[in-house]
Amino acid sequence: MRKPWIVGVLLAGVLLGACGDPVDRPGAPATPSVAGAPGTSTQQRAAASPGRAPVRAPGVLYLGDSLAMESQNVLGVQLRTELHATYTSAPYSGTTLCDYLEGTAVRSLVPPADKAAALVRAHHPDFVVLQFWGNAWGFTPCMDGITYNGSRSGYLQRYAADAKRLADQIAAAGGSHRPRIVWVLQGPDPITPDRIRRVNSLYAQRAAAAGDLVADAGRTVSPAGTRYTWAQYLPCTAYERAHPADCTRPSRNRTALHRDDDYLHFCLAPTTSTPKPCPVRSPGILRIAREIARVVREGARSR
């Protein structure tokens, strides 16, 4: 397990500078490494499931920060394998909702061509999956220096406004083919646990207001019965026990979600200075990707 959390605040500072949502230099946009390139997609034909009508293969656009950056390839495999989905991903480390808003190009880590609305117009997805930890430390310029520690009410008000504005831009870009947004709920934050609870609540409220979807991926990386308690290890699931590579400590029926030196990310390989998809099998990433894929699958059946 972790060292005592007396060093938590110091660790958080190290992570933000080295492996939280960093890029090579402050203010420089990370170059996304995606399944295909940003603005490209892969497609397969849909297949019928035995005993039930076939689900039309959906188009899925995946946007987000470093958590999406590390998860994008695994999610792509899940969506293509289960749904034969057309899949496009364009995450950028260090970002938050406002980075994907059109009209913020000058102060954004995301270039105009990869804004959410621009990608919706280009690819006409059925679903837009948004996975954001909720940048709370003022790393991205588009937050105008607003941080959770500096002003909790100001941060939450701004975050709620950005969520609505981003959803509105996505809807407008879709026109008569409005994509459904999948708001991904985040896992526990050991430094400011109440922040994640509030951010997740904003996501759920936004989904309910617009008839969109919620993927509670954070629940899959939380202890049973204590949704907002952080844990480095959790009991192996039935799936992980059936796939030994995903149960990292089988003799103890425990699997690792985080490295010892990174409480935020789920990739079990060291974070590099150049953001990229996770290169090693990581149970936390697979748990998150499987839950997102499940919600997309259920949403596709109801379309």
Side-chain angles (χ1 to χ4, degrees):
M1 293 297 292
R2 280 289 176 107
K3 295 180 180 179
W5 280 108
I6 191 171
V7 297
V9 175
L10 293 177
L11 176 59
V14 172
L15 290 173
L16 296 180
C19 58
D21 279 323
V23 288
D24 287 340
R25 61 187 188 281
T31 300
S33 177
V34 300
T40 65
S41 59
T42 56
Q43 184 175 13
Q44 298 179 358
R45 292 184 179 180
S49 300
R52 65 192 308 169
V55 176
R56 183 177 66 85
V60 181
L61 172 62
Y62 185 40
L63 307 176
D65 54 21
S66 60
L67 296 180
M69 174 66 73
E70 67 182 5
S71 301
Q72 62 184 312
N73 286 357
V74 176
L75 178 59
V77 169
Q78 293 293 313
L79 292 171
R80 295 188 197 98
T81 300
E82 297 181 17
L83 298 174
H84 304 285
T86 300
Y87 177 68
T88 304
S89 59
Y92 284 79
S93 291
T95 58
T96 193
L97 298 174
C98 60
D99 285 290
Y100 282 89
L101 288 169
E102 290 192 321
T104 61
V106 175
R107 299 179 298 107
S108 173
L109 302 180
V110 176
D114 286 341
K115 299 295 190 181
L119 290 174
V120 168
R121 287 191 293 268
H123 297 283
H124 311 288
D126 300 295
F127 298 91
V128 177
V129 179
L130 301 177
Q131 181 168 3
F132 291 91
W133 173 252
N135 189 320
W137 42 81
F139 181 80
T140 177
C142 71
M143 281 296 288
D144 299 315
I146 299 172
T147 65
Y148 185 72
N149 287 336
S151 172
R152 295 190 176 191
S153 61
Y155 166 84
L156 293 168
Q157 289 172 8
R158 170 63 184 276
Y159 210 72
D162 286 345
K164 182 180 186 306
R165 187 178 171 195
L166 184 60
D168 288 346
Q169 287 191 0
I170 289 170
S176 61
H177 182 70
R178 179 196 183 279
R180 294 189 79 181
I181 297 173
V182 180
W183 295 94
V184 180
L185 306 190
Q186 301 305 303
D189 179 353
I191 306 300
T192 55
D194 192 55
R195 183 190 68 83
I196 283 294
R197 183 183 290 107
R198 290 172 178 266
V199 166
N200 283 347
S201 178
L202 290 176
Y203 291 159
Q205 291 170 19
R206 178 49 37 203
D212 287 319
L213 303 172
V214 168
D216 194 359
R219 176 185 53 80
T220 70
V221 291
S222 305
T226 54
R227 171 64 175 81
Y228 289 99
T229 298
W230 184 91
Q232 185 178 4
Y233 297 90
L234 286 180
C236 297
T237 63
Y239 176 90
E240 289 162 352
R241 289 191 294 273
H243 298 78
D246 296 311
C247 184
T248 61
R249 296 189 174 186
S251 63
R252 300 182 183 181
N253 191 36
R254 293 288 186 274
T255 199
L257 302 181
H258 304 277
R259 289 172 51 86
D260 288 340
D261 58 356
D262 189 342
Y263 76 87
L264 172 58
H265 298 94
F266 294 93
C267 183
L268 297 183
T271 303
T272 62
S273 60
T274 302
K276 61 183 179 181
C278 185
V280 301
R281 200 172 185 95
S282 299
I285 289 177
L286 183 57
R287 289 184 180 204
I288 288 169
R290 281 169 56 84
E291 178 61 15
I292 294 172
R294 184 193 69 79
V295 171
V296 172
R297 181 175 65 249
E298 293 304 313
R301 285 176 178 159
S302 66
R303 288 186 69 89

